[in-house]
Amino acid sequence: MKKLVMMAVLAIVLGTAQAEAQGLVKNLMGHMYGGPKVEANLSGFFLSDIPGVKSKMNVGGSVGGFFGFRVTENFSVQEDILMHYQVSQLEQDGKKGDLSYLGAELAFYAVGHWNVYGNNRLIVGAGPFVGYGLNAKYKMDDNETDLYEKNGNGDKVFQPFSVGAGIMLGYELGCGLQINASYKIGILDQLDAPKDKASMLPSRISLGVAYRFRK
C-alpha cells in the first residue's frame, strides 16, 4: 500500500513538473521572433597615414536573418546573422581600383520598439558586431591581388576579423514587413602587415527589407 501511495505521489509530482516545464517553454517561445532580411549596402574605409589615397563607397548586398527575444513590451534583444558582399573604391594619383569583400557577420542589438499608427511599429537599436572575412580582393586594371594571401615573407595585406558598433532604425507594418536602415563602423584595423604604418577602418551604410514572423 505504501508503495502504491508513493508511486501515486511521484506520478503527480512528475506530472505537475512536466506541465510547468511545458508552460515555461511555451511562455519563452511566445517572446521569441525572427525572420529573413535582405539589404543593399554602401561600404568604404576611413584611412589614416595613407597619403594620396581616397576611399569611395560603392554598392554591394547582404542577405541573412534575425532572431530576437522580447524582454518587455517595448524592449528586446536581437541578433542579426548576415552574409555581406561589399565593394569599395580606392583612388590614388588618378588611378582607381575596386576592393571586393565577402564575409559573415553577427550583430547584437538592444532594441526599443513602439506602436505608432495602430499596429505599425517604430524600431531603434544599437549594439556591437563581429565579422569574419572569407574573401577579399583588390583589382586595378588587369591586376588582381588576394588581400588574405600570404606573400613570400609570410605577410598578408588584410586580416579577416572585424569588430565594431552599429545603430539601426526601422519601421514595421502591421503585417510584419519591415524597412530598415543601419550604419556600422569598425574599430579594428583591417590591415595586417602594414598596420604599424597605416590603418583602414571599415564603415557601411545599409538599407533593406525584412519580415518578422508574428509571435
Side-chain angles (χ1 to χ4, degrees):
M1 179 64 71
K2 290 183 178 180
K3 291 184 178 180
L4 291 176
V5 172
M6 291 180 63
M7 291 177 64
V9 171
L10 182 60
I12 293 172
V13 171
L14 291 176
T16 302
Q18 183 179 11
E20 290 180 353
Q22 290 177 344
L24 177 61
V25 170
K26 185 176 181 180
N27 182 56
L28 290 175
M29 292 296 292
H31 286 262
M32 297 179 68
Y33 62 88
K37 177 179 286 191
V38 178
E39 298 177 336
N41 64 57
L42 291 171
S43 61
F45 295 89
F46 289 105
L47 308 178
S48 178
D49 297 323
I50 310 179
V53 180
K54 298 179 181 179
S55 174
K56 296 183 179 181
M57 288 185 163
N58 216 331
V59 180
S62 309
V63 62
F66 63 100
F67 304 91
F69 184 82
R70 191 166 52 252
V71 180
T72 68
E73 182 179 354
N74 299 115
F75 177 74
S76 298
V77 289
Q78 180 175 310
E79 176 184 1
D80 286 11
I81 305 174
L82 296 170
M83 289 291 297
H84 298 297
Y85 178 70
Q86 300 173 193
V87 181
S88 57
Q89 187 180 86
L90 296 178
E91 181 178 347
Q92 183 177 21
D93 300 327
K95 295 183 178 180
K96 299 178 181 179
D98 291 326
L99 195 160
S100 61
Y101 165 91
L102 177 67
E105 180 183 278
L106 296 178
F108 304 90
Y109 292 107
V111 182
H113 37 81
W114 301 270
N115 286 349
V116 293
Y117 303 112
N119 292 327
N120 299 341
R121 300 199 312 167
L122 177 66
I123 304 168
V124 179
F129 72 86
V130 294
Y132 186 81
L134 304 174
N135 185 281
K137 294 183 178 180
Y138 180 68
K139 185 175 182 180
M140 178 182 288
D141 298 327
D142 294 328
N143 298 318
E144 186 175 79
T145 303
D146 187 338
L147 301 179
Y148 291 151
E149 184 178 4
K150 294 183 180 180
N151 60 22
N153 297 323
D155 298 325
K156 55 184 184 291
V157 180
F158 267 25
Q159 58 86 15
F161 292 98
S162 59
V163 177
I167 57 174
M168 73 167 181
L169 177 65
Y171 189 82
E172 180 183 288
L173 301 177
C175 63
L177 182 66
Q178 296 180 355
I179 300 174
N180 296 308
S182 66
Y183 176 73
K184 294 176 182 174
I185 181 170
I187 59 174
L188 184 64
D189 193 351
Q190 294 301 281
L191 294 176
D192 188 63
K195 64 183 178 183
D196 293 334
K197 301 178 181 179
S199 68
M200 295 179 67
L201 301 180
S203 65
R204 184 175 69 250
I205 300 171
S206 300
L207 179 64
V209 295
Y211 183 80
R212 184 174 72 94
F213 294 109
R214 308 301 290 175
K215 288 291 185 180

